[in-house]
Amino acid sequence: MTYEEYRVWIINNYPSMGSGPVIDLLAGSLAGGTAVLCTYPLDLARTKLAYQVVDTGGSLRSGIRSICAQPAYSGVKDVLTSVYKEGGIRALYRGIGPTLAGILPYAGLKFYIYEELKRHVPEEHQKSIVMRLSCGAMAGLFGQTFTYPLDVVRRQMQVEYMKPLSKGGDVRYRNTFEGLAAIVRNQGWKQLFAGLSINYIKIVPSVAIGFTAYDMMKSWLCIPPRQKSKSISAS
């Protein structure tokens, strides 16, 4: 929704930019940033809930008879409440810097590549579901590859505050660039792409299905193409 709204706003307020792929890049980046700002605390809660399974191994090694340890958080609401009490709103958005730094180019590239690939498809294949799936898959593949290191830094920043500083000399990154430099220095550049292949399995089909479903719904709802809607409004 925000992508289409930003796209129309840019075209109406900056007509000199035209309506080409640059508009898709800008509108996609703004839309991705808006989505992150609205949903980031939930992503933080998800990361913390997933990370707390580490406690299970420690409990088993300590000889506790229970199959799984008592989790640090009981659910999303408990995570959000605890984090808010620790540091207020700012704590709920810890790691938002690298997230925005990653999502702005990722979302922009995703929309840009998808729309640009569709422009090179012959007219007779424009409505093909396979074509839309293929374009969406390529958009997700390239977008995720270029921005994945920033996602690695984001997740490390989200979970590092859960570790005591005295345990293993953990380092807390102050910003995205410091995190990138520290990971390369301490763990090697390959660590910036650790888990990328697994991420492909989730992201590529997700983006492909998302774009395809979006275009199909616009078709079923009889929403006119952008070129036609523009000419209709002009007349």
Side-chain angles (χ1 to χ4, degrees):
M1 183 273 290
T2 55
Y3 165 72
E4 295 289 354
E5 291 296 322
Y6 281 130
R7 192 177 188 279
V8 172
W9 182 84
I10 294 173
I11 291 175
N12 290 339
N13 290 274
Y14 301 94
S16 59
M17 297 182 66
S19 59
V22 176
I23 302 298
D24 297 318
L25 184 65
L26 292 175
S29 296
L30 291 172
T34 302
V36 166
L37 290 173
C38 293
T39 61
Y40 186 79
L42 295 175
D43 185 64
L44 179 67
R46 176 177 67 93
T47 301
K48 287 183 175 293
L49 286 171
Y51 180 80
Q52 69 181 350
V53 300
V54 174
D55 294 340
T56 303
S59 299
L60 291 176
R61 285 192 297 269
S62 300
I64 296 178
R65 296 177 60 185
S66 59
I67 297 177
C68 57
Q70 183 68 26
Y73 303 107
S74 59
V76 174
K77 183 179 179 181
D78 186 29
V79 175
L80 297 178
T81 303
S82 300
V83 173
Y84 180 78
K85 289 180 179 178
E86 290 174 5
I89 294 294
R90 186 174 181 178
L92 290 174
Y93 283 87
R94 182 178 295 129
I96 189 69
T99 303
L100 286 174
I103 199 63
L104 292 178
Y106 169 67
L109 285 171
K110 186 173 65 174
F111 280 100
Y112 168 80
I113 294 173
Y114 180 69
E115 296 294 342
E116 187 64 17
L117 289 174
K118 286 203 304 179
R119 288 188 182 95
H120 292 81
V121 175
E123 185 67 28
E124 61 270 19
H125 299 298
Q126 282 290 334
K127 295 184 178 181
S128 169
I129 294 179
V130 175
M131 180 278 298
R132 291 169 176 168
L133 285 171
S134 301
C135 292
M138 294 298 293
L141 180 70
F142 285 110
Q144 184 67 20
T145 302
F146 294 146
T147 60
Y148 188 75
L150 296 171
D151 190 60
V152 173
V153 177
R154 171 178 67 91
R155 298 213 177 273
Q156 291 205 16
M157 289 184 71
Q158 285 179 336
V159 302
E160 65 188 1
Y161 280 82
M162 300 175 65
K163 306 174 184 178
L165 285 174
S166 59
K167 185 179 180 179
D170 295 324
V171 178
R172 293 179 176 176
Y173 311 133
R174 288 173 293 183
N175 54 61
T176 304
F177 297 107
E178 182 181 314
L180 287 170
I183 291 174
V184 172
R185 182 174 59 253
N186 299 326
Q187 305 173 48
W189 67 268
K190 290 184 179 180
Q191 185 63 30
L192 293 175
F193 294 92
L196 179 59
S197 58
I198 300 297
N199 224 40
Y200 282 152
I201 299 175
K202 179 187 75 172
I203 293 296
V204 172
S206 174
V207 174
I209 294 171
F211 274 126
T212 302
Y214 179 65
D215 277 348
M216 293 299 295
M217 286 301 299
K218 289 174 67 176
S219 177
W220 291 339
L221 293 172
C222 299
I223 298 175
R226 288 167 181 165
Q227 293 80 3
K228 291 184 180 180
S229 61
K230 185 178 180 181
S231 61
I232 290 173
S233 60
S235 62

